[in-house]
Amino acid sequence: MESRYKKYQTIERLNEVEGKEVTLRGWVYNIRSKGKLHFIILRDGTGICQCVVFSGNVLPEIFESAKSLTQESSIIVTGMVKKEERAPGGYEIDVKDIEIIQITNDYPITPKEHGDAFLIEHRHLWLRSSKQHAIMRIRAAVIKAIRDFFDGNGFKLMDSPLLTPNACEGTSTLFETNYFDFGKAYLSQSGQLYAEASAFALGRVYTFGPTFRAERSKTRKHLTEFWMVEPEMAFFDLNDDMELAEDLVEYIVQFVLKTCQQELKTLERDTAPLEKVKRPFYRMSYTEAVDWLIANKVPLKKYVDGKEVDIHPFPWGEDFGTVQEEAIMEQFDKPCIIHRYPTDVKAFYMKRDPENSKVVLAMDMLGPERAGEIIGGSQREDDYDLLLERIKQHDLSVDDFQWYLDLRKYGSVPHSGFGLGVERVVKWISGAKHIREVIPFPRMIYRITP
Ligand code: 4AD
Ligand code: MG
């Protein structure tokens, strides 16, 4: 027996029912009246559509009751679907009947301009606005593209735990919690270490979930809770890792272009730069990037006694910040991978380059259009003794990492992986100005509500 809900019609699929009678359920996005006509812009979550109420087509009490409709009142509308090029979405409903579920009073978000602080405070309602709606649909498409890409390329989803006994990406950004008799536990900064164990069991895996960073950074690109997909592959070296990262990003961007044209239009996103996101991308070693910074007189910005000072020439060995990343990316119309970073600025698990132990086999993918770092990854240290030495150098507890060291004891193989930040990618593709707009309910150092 077919379930009833499967017959519910949606605005998104009106093209399938042109000339037929439909029933749509939704909310009034806007209403205006002119004599014997009401024009209701209805939104149902899948799209918006103009519903025309003509007094001659409905019972007098229905026409009268439509006068009381307000923004965000919930209604059920029945009528005939007509093609109408000028209407948003290309279709219009000739209304026969309206059932009012609730009349909304004083909806706080009106079509007039509101400040950012007000909107984020009302995030639970702001999500209904057309631009936020479009961003959320692009987010869903990005996540679908990621899953399709990995599932279609022989990867298995292997979830890593979120409550962990130790750090993965440095101890300074850990969220702590009490964990029964064990003392402290931490919210996961990355599922990678567990993904490595999973890769040794299943070959190619990906872990996909929320990650937590007690980041002090108040930028447009940092959240304290964000979603990361982390593939991990046995027998992949750094080069395989970089090629996989490029294939993934190309796939995501092209998938969004294919499936989200309407959303990109709502956001007034210029899609020309996105069309270009096809392999080959650019690549530069960290050392080449430093040479470029020096040649182009881009300094290191440092805080000395609370004051920002410029250090020239950029010193080899320092990590890049927004200033350097944006300067480097200014010349590129596609993503660029920077590889082989200084050992001292990167995580303990990265494998040192056999040709130069001052650098690790790491890679960061930077996006064009000021997208910043969208991917961070590396080939992993697969030698027991070298990894042990790095754990000690980083002042991490050898006991906590014994299980991780086991992977280097029982059938160790070269392996690699990376993490892609979902929100960084959605922000870039959608053109949103702040990362808080690309996750349903953002968590930042100064916000945990709604
Ligand atoms: O570069 P990160 O810290 O790398 C890792 O966590 C590795 N363990 C991944 C791996 O190799 N499996 O983070 C990966 C990506 C960044 O490139 C960025 O896109 C995103 O996660 N990211 C953030 N996104 C939003 N807010 C933050 N505070 C972020 N920190 C990292
Ligand atoms: Mg990184």
Side-chain angles (χ1 to χ4, degrees):
M1 196 181 83
E2 204 189 2
S3 309
R4 186 180 61 170
Y5 73 86
K6 290 194 177 158
K7 297 200 187 91
Y8 290 172
Q9 284 140 331
T10 55
I11 292 172
E12 187 172 44
R13 301 179 70 172
L14 284 179
N15 61 320
E16 294 168 15
V17 285
E18 192 188 330
K20 298 208 176 100
E21 188 175 290
V22 292
T23 297
L24 296 174
R25 299 139 210 274
W27 299 263
V28 175
Y29 199 61
N30 202 347
I31 177 161
R32 86 200 145 77
S33 301
K34 215 169 106 190
K36 295 181 171 168
L37 290 164
H38 298 304
F39 299 94
I40 302 169
I41 304 292
L42 184 77
R43 61 164 199 92
D44 75 343
T46 73
I48 57 168
C49 160
Q50 174 159 278
C51 303
V52 183
V53 194
F54 171 56
S55 64
N57 287 348
V58 295
L59 294 172
E61 58 268 30
I62 298 287
F63 191 80
E64 204 46 37
S65 72
K67 284 184 186 160
S68 63
L69 291 177
T70 52
Q71 189 190 349
E72 289 307 310
S73 290
S74 38
I75 56 175
I76 298 174
V77 178
T78 301
M80 200 70 88
V81 182
K82 257 182 32 189
K83 201 161 178 66
E84 173 53 73
E85 296 293 343
R86 289 164 301 174
Y91 294 92
E92 196 173 79
I93 306 295
D94 253 342
V95 178
K96 266 176 60 183
D97 193 19
I98 302 174
E99 185 189 327
I100 298 176
I101 302 175
Q102 187 185 43
I103 296 288
T104 287
N105 291 311
D106 305 321
Y107 186 67
I109 303 177
T110 56
K112 73 163 207 244
E113 287 279 313
H114 293 282
D116 290 342
F118 179 87
L119 290 170
I120 199 73
E121 195 63 49
H122 291 85
R123 183 62 174 169
H124 50 299
L125 304 175
W126 188 26
L127 284 169
R128 304 180 190 190
S129 301
S130 62
K131 288 202 168 153
Q132 299 306 312
H133 176 259
I135 293 172
M136 287 305 125
R137 284 172 64 99
I138 289 174
R139 179 187 171 93
V142 165
I143 292 171
K144 177 169 165 49
I146 290 169
R147 288 181 174 277
D148 288 353
F149 177 85
F150 287 120
D151 294 344
N153 281 294
F155 285 73
K156 293 286 174 238
L157 176 65
M158 283 284 279
D159 300 310
S160 293
L162 297 186
L163 284 167
T164 61
N166 47 253
C168 175
E169 295 299 317
T171 46
S172 64
T173 62
L174 281 173
F175 278 113
E176 275 180 19
T177 177
N178 293 323
Y179 199 77
F180 307 109
D181 296 338
F182 295 96
K184 288 194 169 60
Y186 308 96
L187 297 183
S188 175
Q189 297 171 309
S190 157
Q192 179 198 318
L193 305 186
Y194 297 96
E196 287 182 53
S198 296
F200 281 29
L202 283 98
R204 293 181 190 182
V205 300
Y206 67 104
T207 174
F208 198 173
T211 36
F212 305 88
R213 304 272 169 102
E215 295 261 12
R216 285 271 155 212
S217 352
K218 278 195 205 169
T219 77
R220 290 165 181 270
K221 289 182 192 141
H222 286 89
L223 292 164
T224 53
E225 176 179 326
F226 64 96
W227 284 69
M228 178 153 58
V229 61
E230 295 177 89
E232 190 71 31
M233 300 72 64
F235 298 103
F236 269 45
D237 64 11
L238 179 68
N239 192 58
D240 300 327
D241 202 34
M242 294 195 286
E243 290 185 353
L244 181 78
E246 292 174 339
D247 280 340
L248 171 66
V249 170
E250 173 178 321
Y251 186 84
I252 296 170
V253 172
Q254 297 307 319
F255 182 83
V256 172
L257 282 172
K258 200 165 76 196
T259 59
C260 298
Q261 279 300 323
Q262 187 56 50
E263 290 77 4
L264 292 163
K265 210 167 129 196
T266 301
L267 295 166
E268 297 165 50
R269 174 68 161 104
D270 175 9
T271 53
L274 296 176
E275 304 279 355
K276 289 196 192 133
V277 181
K278 298 219 171 109
R279 287 188 70 199
F281 294 171
Y282 300 98
R283 285 194 196 170
M284 246 183 186
S285 69
Y286 167 87
T287 302
E288 286 165 347
V290 169
D291 288 345
W292 187 90
L293 291 172
I294 294 170
N296 289 276
K297 302 196 166 51
V298 180
L300 170 71
K301 302 249 175 215
K302 251 206 160 142
Y303 281 92
V304 181
D305 302 328
K307 258 212 227 115
E308 197 184 67
V309 292
D310 285 1
I311 298 172
H312 281 285
F314 186 93
W316 193 101
E318 292 285 338
D319 206 358
F320 297 156
T322 309
V323 175
Q324 293 77 33
E325 288 177 358
E326 287 187 356
I328 292 167
M329 289 311 292
E330 210 52 59
Q331 62 193 306
F332 297 131
D333 56 357
K334 287 196 249 191
C336 176
I337 291 183
I338 313 251
H339 54 88
R340 294 180 171 78
Y341 282 83
T343 306
D344 293 343
V345 302
K346 289 292 187 187
F348 75 95
Y349 53 71
M350 294 188 180
K351 188 177 179 63
R352 276 170 286 189
D353 187 345
E355 282 165 26
N356 173 8
S357 69
K358 286 205 174 75
V359 299
V360 279
L361 298 175
M363 61 111 172
D364 279 2
M365 188 189 290
L366 309 180
E369 302 180 274
R370 304 195 165 189
E373 179 194 327
I374 54 177
I375 284 179
S378 72
Q379 185 168 335
R380 320 307 189 189
E381 183 52 75
D382 49 18
D383 180 89
Y384 187 97
D385 294 323
L386 293 178
L387 182 61
L388 182 62
E389 178 194 319
R390 298 271 279 151
I391 289 173
K392 288 178 180 163
Q393 263 172 14
H394 279 250
D395 267 334
L396 297 165
S397 141
V398 175
D399 268 356
D400 283 354
F401 286 98
Q402 206 53 61
W403 70 269
Y404 185 64
L405 282 159
D406 271 357
L407 304 175
R408 279 70 180 168
K409 205 155 112 191
Y410 306 114
S412 189
V413 295
H415 62 291
S416 303
F418 62 81
L420 171 142
V422 167
E423 289 76 18
R424 295 271 176 96
V425 170
V426 178
K427 178 179 181 294
W428 164 41
I429 295 178
S430 67
K433 62 177 197 237
H434 198 294
I435 199 162
R436 66 183 165 218
E437 291 190 36
V438 307
I439 184 164
F441 295 97
R443 297 290 175 253
M444 293 163 292
I445 50 174
Y446 47 88
R447 175 159 299 280
I448 196 164
T449 55

